[in-house]
């Protein structure tokens, strides 16, 4: 059973290796009659691409998306929307030395153990470059969600030991694109920037946290008992390269609370608090959906590391290519994209849940 | 798209409401020719059932499983294995008062918003009673995994502020069933027990953490890019009632590490550390798989709480029924079951990944 | 990948062996808020059960359905609807002689070759008894379809060489239950009956054809390019025991027509003809959907037959049990059930096809 | 739930409109380590393309396939294999007159009714051009099947009233590519050719039948109860444009046989006959799989036809473009491709059916 598709109704399948002909995907199940703002799609891609932030890699990938099907005059036909990003800045020979060496923290060895073969150039399909296709799919999903006013915003809430000190409700979520850290907490920008620059100078990397907020989401989304909304969100986030943890609402902090402290009291004008993160029993309750994602430090570093080669012999891996010292600034659009994909799918699934005289959804 | 099934090849579908005729499920895709130890299945159910630990609810549910199909003389036929647990200790009238009241922290209101109708008796299908069916499915999956020597063990690693102080490698994982807390850290038993008893006396509840360890798992399991092994494990865990967070390996603790600190150095005799938690790039690497799950405090408490009724009017919810002050002791077998289900599915999926002359798997 | 489920949104999973504890199923994805007429479900079962027609087997199976979940006060909850038919008239010892003998025309040998194990009692899961679960699932689907006025009617249009001479438009489709042949052509009843009785007296069996008509179906159902409506109908029909062929509209008769003869001319008041059978390009066009299904003669006969046993040795199989001389009379409700299942699924799928502001489907 | 994918494990998703940027697809789930003969893939495409037979359309489409991912040095990586065929000979303006006219026998009107929008240029996605992507996917599947010696061969067995007079066992199936009719019966070539030429001269079209034979297929393929092998084959065939009927083995001819005539007697050296068409109870029995497919006459004809426009007004549709007088010659590779796709999927599914110690499939 292949694992390159996500979503039951609004379904994205991605394809492509880092140094093959290109990266792309197919969105099947996007409803017909939706006008797509193609510039907005490209803008989201631009926010993810290497070179988009001064704090990331110095590689520069144009990542120009070409749509191959499913659209006529910019409007969805209800047929599969295929798209392609040609690979251009692919210095495959950079990777010749890695052909038989397994990099620590990477999928090199496991990929070999699974498939018996792997494309070693730039990480092949295990490269984060694959996420470019997710951003395209997510950008289409976002435009579907926009019909219902749903807004998805993510921001960097932690870099190493540097955290935001404010809840998201005190932040201007739109301000995230005004700084290279991609945080919504302007007060934290300089602290986080300094840490990333320091780590880069050390030839090392550092982890981070992204917080994602979904606003104006209708109540009723999520499919118990297994496809609970936060379960599908969690899976989507954990499928992003370098993600090590997911927490909905107050997450691990809820462990040390009493029920009387943790329950969100309900009132005629809404819940008094939102510790649950906008989801109860796996179903959205109409409050903001809020969750956190933990990213490990990037595995590729400039320091020498002990490892093994394909024959099992010990080798020392020396400094490598041009990579990000911290992944979270460029991961913000990926987190948003995966969130949009999950929500679009559940929005459409919810259409099938109630009996009643069937009639066309208004065009 | 219904959400009551999990797994692509080894697939469990559960059914049933807390106070309907029964709870049950169908395991489809379990390979033929597997001898099932039915007593072992019942034993796992007994570990989950209310009344199984002195620290849980005083409700006592027999939870006797009846197999309806898929087995002949205790051996799987390759056909769907259906099973049923009749509901017996169902005091539905206990819940009459809750028919039009939404309990804080529960799925009462969201269920209504989703379906336009709900079974209010004992939480209906949102009741944790549904997890009994998962335990049965997981027990079958465990016996499939045992053919390859895979072992799945979970234990309570935290109750409120009380944590285990040792890594799992210093614990006897089999000792978990020797104490009512279901922890493998014998030193922590009394601390955790005291806290749960104190919380119960207060009429309150408390959260907890479970750590799960998978040993002797073959390398190569997991299906990039979306069905990564830890992504599917994360979804499975987040689908369990009251779960708020999931972390693979060192999870959120990896945020504040440098790459040079976090990477698991590889050596000819294995990895020097296991911060990744046994999974690289979404594929098992043959090391132990280790992950943590955060459970919130049980929402049902004996204290009065502000809430609303179905008409939106403010009401005060008074003390309720017979519930657990802390969910984690009884959640240990559920965590193990969900883990077994995910691994069994991926074990079978891995059979399809490599080209080569097809031949029957040895019976 | 297990094969015991059908449908993407409205999905039926069946379970059970002929001589195990029972036969049953789970309908997942049935919308919430649908009042189910349970007597109507039982009535459809009664039409399929052995003993329901004088032209069938003399076995008499009560086939009383018990619902286990998904309903409250007869209304669907949106949760899985599980049901069970206990096996009662199971004379397993009748089949002891067949334990190691492969019956010609049956799945005995292939089942063994596939699974390495089989339940030989009454055919195990390959028994047509499994279709009882389909009838229950189909009866629920029919009640969902009824909300939109869709009507599904099947009838026997051929038994051996005896055919109906009239198009369905000249027949009273409701009259099918007034005769034991289950044909809507009253003129053909005696001819068909005589042939079946003759074949029974000979200790032999005979094939037949069922025609199915769907009326008042909305235009727009069917999901190109692979899940075309007639492709899904064809698969559903071909999954019924003993079915050997499927034809939509004029089917194989279209081969020897010119395009100018075969095309249905379109007019402002509808199509002039309906040779296409109500489906164009895999999508319903609002005309009646009409298709034919070919059933082979029942493989179980009273005559001696050459065959082999499990060791590969030649044996002669003598007269067996109590079976139908012709399967089509009792297959009529099965054909209707499978048709209802496919249409209900596609009706719900169509809800997701168009963009637009999402709003609840009216309850 | 989108309908543009087929297969559970070996899964093809196609995309593209007739006059958009291109036609293509993604094969997910093709096992790793399979060397693909790319020339053989192109050869199959060449057999389907317009212009490949003198009896088809005079349009000439190069249909050069470009692989975008999933291969390294011609060997499968186990990752999605995406491919693209750019549209070149697309005279979209030919279709301007058809923008608001519904062609009889085509999907123009139903497409509109379903999606509320359609691409009228060349039939958009309902064009048979989409089947080019199926041929590519099928060609890959065929090479997987070849590892186990499975051979798939189809041929034209009827054009209008002209039929082959011999069973396939008396024909040289490889001879199909030696004539423009694509029949394996050399005696029938001239009769069939003459009929097609006559029909073309009349400005009309004619239907046909294709017979498909699978040889050297292992016993045990097929997944009861719904995904029976012939049910999945039937669905795959019925999803091909212009197909109106499917019959396995002796199909509709079995209706008028007695069970004693129809059953295939089993002997120690194999079955005495193969009326079942190589499948018993939905599972392959190791004999040749044989089935027939009915194609209606092409709907596009040069004669004037009554129809309606989008506003519902009566119009007369005059002669159109460059089309095939009979579809079956060019449909032979499509039938083979769909057959290969279904068999490859079931071959991989069968790997998961039996319990036993898991070990890698030999590379």
């Amino acid at each position: 059973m292949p694992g390159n598709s996500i979503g039951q109704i609004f379904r994205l399948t991605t394809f492509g290796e880092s140094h093959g002909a290109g990266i792309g995907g197919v969105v099947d199940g996007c409803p017909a009659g939706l006008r797509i703002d193609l510039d907005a799609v490209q803008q989201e891609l631009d926010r993810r691409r290497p070179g988009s932030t001064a704090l990331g890699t110095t590689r520069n990938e144009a990542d120009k998306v070409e749509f191959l099907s499913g659209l006529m005059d910019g409007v969805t036909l209800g047929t599969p929307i295929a798209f392609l990003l040609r690979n251009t800045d692919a210095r495959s020979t950079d990777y010749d030395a890695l052909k038989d060496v397994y990099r620590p923290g990477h999928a090199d060895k496991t990929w070999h153990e699974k498939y018996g073969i792997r494309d070693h150039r730039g990480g092949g399909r295990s490269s984060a470059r694959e996420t470019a296709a997710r951003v395209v799919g997510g950008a289409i999903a976002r435009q579907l969600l926009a019909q219902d006013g749903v807004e998805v915003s993510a921001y960097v809430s932690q870099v190493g030991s540097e955290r935001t000190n404010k809840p998201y409700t005190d932040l201007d979520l739109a301000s995230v694109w005004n700084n290279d850290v991609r945080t919504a907490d302007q007060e934290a920008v300089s602290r986080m920037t300094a840490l990333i620059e320091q780590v880069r100078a050390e030839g090392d990397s550092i982890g981070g946290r992204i917080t994602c907020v979904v606003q104006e989401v209708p109540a009723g989304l999520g499919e118990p008992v297994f496809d609970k909304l936060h379960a599908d969100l969690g899976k989507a986030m954990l499928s992003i390269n370098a993600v090590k943890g997911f927490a909905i609402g107050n997450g691990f902090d809820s462990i040390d609370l009493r029920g009387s402290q943790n329950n969100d009291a309900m009132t005629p004008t809404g819940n008094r608090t939102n510790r649950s993160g906008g989801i109860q029993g796996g179903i959205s309750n109409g409050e903001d959906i809020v969750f956190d994602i933990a990213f490990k430090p990037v595995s590729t570093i400039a320091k020498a590391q002990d490892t093994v080669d394909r024959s099992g012999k010990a080798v020392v891996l020396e400094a490598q290519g041009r990579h990000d010292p911290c992944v979270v600034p460029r991961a913000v659009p990926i987190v948003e994209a995966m969130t949009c994909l999950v929500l679009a799918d559940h929005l459409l699934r919810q259409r099938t849940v109630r009996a009643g005289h069937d009639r066309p959804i208004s065009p």
Side-chain angles (χ1 to χ4, degrees), chain A:
Chain A
M1 188 72 192
N4 296 288
S5 301
I6 192 163
Q8 300 296 324
I9 293 180
F10 192 103
R11 179 188 290 174
L12 171 68
T13 301
T14 73
F15 61 81
E17 280 72 43
S18 181
H19 288 234
I23 292 282
V26 181
V27 173
D28 201 4
C30 183
L34 181 70
R35 181 165 297 281
I36 299 293
D37 179 341
L38 298 176
D39 293 337
V41 175
Q42 185 62 49
Q43 182 186 39
E44 300 212 35
L45 259 180
D46 291 345
R47 288 172 170 172
R48 190 215 71 97
R49 76 175 175 83
S52 61
T53 152
L55 295 174
T57 173
T58 56
R59 275 179 297 132
N60 205 319
E61 296 170 7
D63 278 353
K64 179 76 188 158
V65 63
E66 177 192 12
F67 284 92
L68 301 172
S69 67
L71 297 171
M72 188 171 63
D73 303 333
V75 178
T76 59
L77 288 164
T79 58
I81 304 169
F83 56 89
L84 178 63
L85 293 81
R86 293 274 177 190
N87 290 333
T88 51
D89 184 30
R91 303 189 194 169
S92 298
T93 49
D94 279 11
Y95 294 89
D96 281 356
L98 293 174
K99 193 171 175 187
D100 294 315
V101 175
Y102 294 139
R103 295 170 297 167
H106 281 279
D108 299 348
K109 184 157 183 276
T110 54
W111 210 268
H112 235 135
E113 286 167 325
K114 180 175 191 65
Y115 297 106
I117 184 177
R118 78 182 172 101
D119 182 353
H120 66 282
R121 301 164 302 172
R125 183 148 176 77
S126 71
S127 164
R129 177 154 175 69
E130 180 268 338
T131 58
R134 303 182 181 205
V135 170
V136 175
I140 296 171
R142 190 197 294 270
Q143 298 190 29
L144 181 70
L145 293 169
Q147 290 195 312
D148 288 290
V150 182
E151 286 175 31
V152 174
S153 313
Y155 64 96
V156 172
S157 51
Q158 186 175 358
V159 172
S161 55
E162 299 295 339
R163 309 181 63 140
T164 58
N165 295 319
K166 297 173 189 152
Y168 80 91
T169 44
D170 292 350
L171 300 176
D172 173 12
L173 299 182
S175 72
V176 71
W177 306 112
N178 300 339
N179 62 83
D180 279 339
V181 182
R182 308 307 190 208
T183 182
D185 183 356
Q186 301 304 318
E187 178 272 330
V189 171
S190 58
R191 289 186 285 128
M192 291 174 172
T193 302
L195 178 54
I196 295 175
E197 293 294 7
Q198 174 194 337
V199 165
R200 190 207 296 265
E202 293 169 2
D204 216 328
S205 64
I206 188 84
R209 177 196 304 251
I210 291 177
T211 298
C212 187
V213 182
V214 187
Q215 293 168 304
E216 306 299 328
V217 63
L221 305 191
E223 298 293 329
V225 294
F226 294 113
D227 297 351
K228 288 171 173 163
L229 188 55
H230 60 291
D232 272 357
L233 286 168
K235 172 172 174 171
M237 297 307 134
L238 289 158
S239 79
I240 300 174
N241 306 43
V243 171
K244 302 295 286 183
F246 173 84
I248 180 78
N250 58 356
F252 285 82
D253 294 338
S254 71
I255 293 176
D256 193 17
L257 292 181
R258 298 292 203 273
S260 58
Q261 298 169 313
N262 191 63
N263 284 350
D264 297 313
M266 303 167 90
T267 79
T269 55
N271 289 1
R272 224 171 256 149
T273 51
N274 184 19
R275 293 187 194 97
S276 74
I279 296 175
Q280 300 281 18
I283 303 169
S284 64
N285 65 6
E287 309 271 329
D288 292 351
I289 295 175
V290 190
F291 52 89
D292 277 23
I293 310 116
F295 289 79
K296 70 173 182 180
V298 174
S299 297
T300 302
I301 54 176
K303 300 190 167 184
Q305 297 182 84
D306 289 338
T307 190
V308 294
D309 65 13
R310 197 174 165 184
S311 69
K313 197 162 56 77
V315 294
V316 174
L317 183 68
E318 299 292 345
Q320 303 153 42
R322 302 158 293 163
H323 289 87
D324 299 81
C326 183
V327 76
V328 285
R330 280 180 52 220
V332 167
I334 305 168
V335 165
E336 290 187 0
M338 295 307 296
T339 305
C340 290
L341 286 166
V342 171
L343 287 170
D345 189 40
H346 277 278
L347 198 77
L348 295 175
R349 289 172 77 166
Q350 176 61 9
R351 287 189 185 176
T352 70
V353 162
R354 292 201 190 190
H357 186 66
D358 277 272
R359 40 185 188 160
I361 298 294
S362 64

